Amino acid sequence: MPRYEYRCRTCGSTFELSRPMAESSAPADCPAGHGDTVKLLSAVAVGGTASAPAGGAGGGGGCCGGGCCG
């Protein structure tokens, strides 16, 4: 289930809630009980590494996938 970050406009605290995507825009009370909150935009972190195809052949390349362009 996705986690969403919110900030309370009354006390300034920042908190997270796990909720379904369909409820991401629903109002959220802060842990202190205040109802004036706003959902924050969060950066997404993606792990992993990229590597070139075996043999050093370059792929990719814009609109035609590195084939016959240019």
Side-chain angles (χ1 to χ4, degrees), residues 4-70:
Y4 298 95
E5 190 173 24
Y6 298 85
R7 175 171 288 136
C8 179
R9 291 180 179 164
T10 303
C11 66
S13 67
T14 301
F15 60 98
E16 292 183 352
L17 291 177
S18 293
R19 50 177 30 180
M21 291 173 74
E23 296 177 17
S24 67
S25 297
D29 290 339
C30 88
H34 305 122
D36 188 13
T37 61
V38 62
K39 187 173 93 169
L40 303 176
L41 295 176
S42 300
V44 176
V46 178
T49 60
S51 61
C63 64
C64 60
C68 58
C69 289

